[in-house]
Amino acid sequence: MNPLLNRLIPHLLLNFHFAPNEGLLNGKMGGVIFFGYYAQYTGKTYFREYAEELLDDIFDRVHENIPINFIDGLCGIGWGIEYLIQHSLMDGDADEVLEDIDKKIIERDPMYINDLSLYTGLQGILMYINARLSHFRTNNYQPFPDEYLQRVNKHITSILASTNVETSAEFNNIANYFTSRTNNKTAPDYSLEITNEFYGTLPSNFQNLHSSPIGIYQGLTGFAFKSILS
């Protein structure tokens, strides 16, 4: 095992309850996913129990004025829960757990979102919507009303057709999956994965663990995750 990873695990266990927020990339949700995955990786149930403790913290603290963005807000938290369930890292009914988050997401009119980034913009919202749409169901439950999905689809179609808007390959892939699903076309395979965008630019060495960010984005958990996923 990576020697630095051996140093990181005890540090993360001691400090994740004091993470700066409940979000996915800078906060506690990143710890839930990491330790859920690490429990499977090591076969040690203690790490899963720790992940469940962090998840309880998140549910206790999620409040009305939390942002909807992906980096620190509801989209990232909800995506994280779908990741845990779809990868069999935790059990639960995602539709029941995420019903309130779904309702908060549709309060934001997609037609007025011009920020296309993963962290604070439309790509992050699409990440969450796609995660919910890709969830396997044996019933007819729909997490979002058709009217909302059509408004998102209209906005995305106009963005992709514009010659004045520059989009990333990641945005295009996520947008194409969404439009395929919404237009009743055959959608490509879609799986929830930790991508390089989640990490940002990771430091190659952490001289002082206590002065380093704890999260996935440019932080200790990102380094730890990349160490076990590579």
Side-chain angles (χ1 to χ4, degrees):
M1 184 181 290
N2 187 312
L4 182 52
L5 186 59
N6 284 334
R7 290 178 57 211
L8 284 180
I9 298 303
H11 176 83
L12 297 179
L13 288 170
L14 286 172
N15 289 282
F16 243 116
H17 282 290
F18 308 103
N21 58 54
E22 280 60 60
L24 174 62
L25 297 187
N26 289 321
K28 290 180 182 176
M29 195 68 216
V32 175
I33 291 181
F34 174 75
F35 280 110
Y37 188 91
Y38 198 65
Q40 187 181 75
Y41 179 78
T42 61
K44 295 180 179 179
T45 58
Y46 171 79
F47 294 115
R48 175 172 172 145
E49 292 168 359
Y50 184 80
E52 291 170 349
E53 289 178 15
L54 289 178
L55 191 57
D56 288 341
D57 282 355
I58 292 169
F59 287 139
D60 287 344
R61 295 172 182 270
V62 168
H63 44 76
E64 287 296 315
N65 62 351
I66 192 170
I68 70 167
N69 65 41
F70 195 80
I71 190 167
D72 289 324
L74 296 176
C75 284
I77 292 170
W79 184 95
I81 290 170
E82 278 285 4
Y83 180 95
L84 291 167
I85 293 172
Q86 292 192 30
H87 286 265
S88 302
L89 300 178
M90 285 191 183
D91 302 321
D93 183 342
D95 290 333
E96 181 178 334
V97 174
L98 296 175
E99 181 179 6
D100 288 341
I101 291 182
D102 293 340
K103 290 177 181 178
K104 294 298 291 185
I105 299 306
I106 65 176
E107 290 177 3
R108 177 84 180 272
D109 191 332
M111 296 299 290
Y112 297 100
I113 301 175
N114 296 318
D115 176 357
L116 303 185
S117 72
L118 169 67
Y119 307 116
T120 57
L122 187 59
Q123 183 179 334
I125 295 173
L126 287 177
M127 286 280 285
Y128 177 67
I129 294 174
N130 285 352
R132 300 291 286 125
L133 295 179
S134 68
H135 185 96
F136 177 77
R137 297 177 176 85
T138 57
N139 56 31
N140 295 323
Y141 181 85
Q142 295 184 17
F144 307 106
D146 287 339
E147 179 184 4
Y148 173 78
L149 294 177
Q150 289 304 322
R151 285 184 69 79
V152 177
N153 188 52
K154 180 179 180 180
H155 188 38
I156 290 173
T157 300
S158 68
I159 290 170
L160 295 178
S162 174
T163 57
N164 298 320
V165 179
E166 184 175 348
T167 57
S168 66
E170 291 80 9
F171 179 91
N172 292 341
N173 289 337
I174 292 165
N176 287 331
Y177 175 83
F178 173 82
T179 57
S180 296
R181 286 293 302 257
T182 307
N183 294 329
N184 296 316
K185 297 179 181 179
T186 301
D189 291 337
Y190 191 85
S191 61
L192 277 60
E193 303 296 342
I194 307 294
T195 70
N196 284 331
E197 279 189 293
F198 286 33
Y199 301 127
T201 303
L202 293 175
S204 58
N205 191 20
F206 297 95
Q207 296 294 334
N208 186 342
L209 298 184
H210 291 281
S211 65
S212 301
I214 199 170
I216 292 176
Y217 181 70
Q218 298 184 346
L220 301 175
T221 305
F223 185 94
F225 231 137
K226 204 159 192 178
S227 296
I228 63 175
L229 289 177
S230 60

